[in-house]
Amino acid sequence: MIFLRSAAFFLLGTLNTIFYGLFTVPLSIFWHDVGYECARGWGWRILWLAKHVCGIDYQVRGLENVPARPLVVMAKHQSAWETVGILCHLPRAVWIIKKELVWVPIIGWVLGGLKSIAIDRKSGQSARDQILEQGKDRLGRGYWVMIFPEGTRVAPGERGRYGLGGSLLAVGAEVDVLPIAHNAGECWRRNAFLKYPGKVTMSIGAPISTKGKTAVEVGREVEEWIEAEMLRLPPTSANNSAYAKQSVEV
């Protein structure tokens, strides 16, 4: 049954992406805000398909922590679900992505059109300079900046190395950081065809101030909040949770 539901989701999700891509790609290039709302329309339908086809429901905690002012968002990265969830529930943002994504048909083209900051993760200081320069520009124009500090998706129960790019930008631009934890990887796993039913929890923390702090201090505070919150999240289901046992032990 899970295979059939996953296959149906793949087919319908692909058709949804092609349909919205026909409009979102040109709109994102020439009319950013209109293109972003079109991308949101795609995202809402992906979440609907995930719920009604695969049985992946979700809840969002901490929406009251989302301020009106633009800031840097730093989130746990486990799957593709959180990209869609953040797209739909947070204010308009530009995304810090690896440059290879720009060449992915439709999805990558949309990300490029929506003024994402595409970096070469192997370029070290050059990538950090790019994040700082372009990130300040986007924040100054009223857009939020979204980054996955671990750089790549990690399996449930694991922790990647948190990079300093987002913290350097937040400190340099003198804006707060909004931390986000979630357990989407328990239902929608990295590069996995099968999608497992359950209820994802996305938890949004209170903004973390950067005033009087170094990037290292901010990064450590963000990482500590996200990883501690991961242990507090309820299991998606009795079968999926990689954190349930850890939570009991802690």
Side-chain angles (χ1 to χ4, degrees), residues 7 9 18 27 31 50 53 58 68 95 98 103 105 118-119 126 131 141 153 160 193 200 208 230 237:
F9 175 81
I18 293 172
L27 286 172
W31 298 283
V53 177
Y58 71 93
W95 301 69
K98 56 184 180 181
W103 303 108
I119 63 169
S126 176
I131 290 173
R141 288 195 273 169
R153 288 169 288 184
F193 176 77
V200 172
I208 294 174
M230 293 299 296
S237 74

Side-chain angles (χ1 to χ4, degrees), residues 21 31 44 47 59 62 76 176 191 211 225 229:
W31 298 283
W44 282 116
L47 292 178
Q59 62 178 334
K76 189 72 177 177
D176 295 344
N191 297 328
K211 188 175 182 180
W225 185 91
E229 185 68 6

Side-chain angles (χ1 to χ4, degrees), residues 52-208:
H52 293 281
V53 177
C54 298
I56 302 176
D57 200 355
Y58 71 93
Q59 62 178 334
V60 180
R61 297 178 174 178
L63 282 173
E64 68 277 6
N65 292 324
V66 180
R69 64 188 183 278
L71 41 64
V72 175
V73 181
M74 297 174 68
K76 189 72 177 177
H77 200 18
Q78 289 186 342
S79 73
W81 185 96
E82 61 269 20
T83 304
V84 182
I86 291 169
L87 169 69
C88 292
H89 289 91
L90 267 65
R92 292 175 188 167
V94 296
W95 301 69
I96 298 176
I97 61 174
K98 56 184 180 181
K99 66 178 185 179
E100 295 86 353
L101 283 179
V102 176
W103 303 108
V104 175
I106 303 180
I107 297 295
W109 303 339
V110 170
L111 286 170
L114 292 178
K115 299 179 174 60
S116 295
I117 302 171
I119 63 169
D120 180 358
R121 293 185 298 182
K122 298 179 181 178
S123 62
Q125 186 61 47
S126 176
R128 289 190 286 272
D129 291 343
Q130 183 182 357
I131 290 173
L132 186 59
E133 179 183 355
Q134 296 187 32
K136 281 184 174 181
D137 172 73
R138 307 297 198 274
L139 289 164
R141 288 195 273 169
Y143 294 107
W144 293 39
V145 176
M146 172 66 218
I147 185 170
F148 296 114
E150 291 166 291
T152 189
R153 288 169 288 184
V154 297
E158 296 183 4
R159 178 193 301 204
R161 178 180 175 275
Y162 280 62
L164 283 178
S167 300
L168 287 168
L169 170 59
V171 171
E174 299 180 341
V175 300
D176 295 344
V177 175
L178 192 73
I180 296 179
H182 65 86
N183 51 9
E186 295 173 13
C187 295
W188 186 327
R189 300 173 185 177
R190 176 184 179 182
N191 297 328
F193 176 77
L194 297 179
K195 308 294 187 293
Y196 295 87
K199 189 170 186 177
V200 172
T201 299
M202 183 169 76
S203 179
I204 304 172
I208 294 174

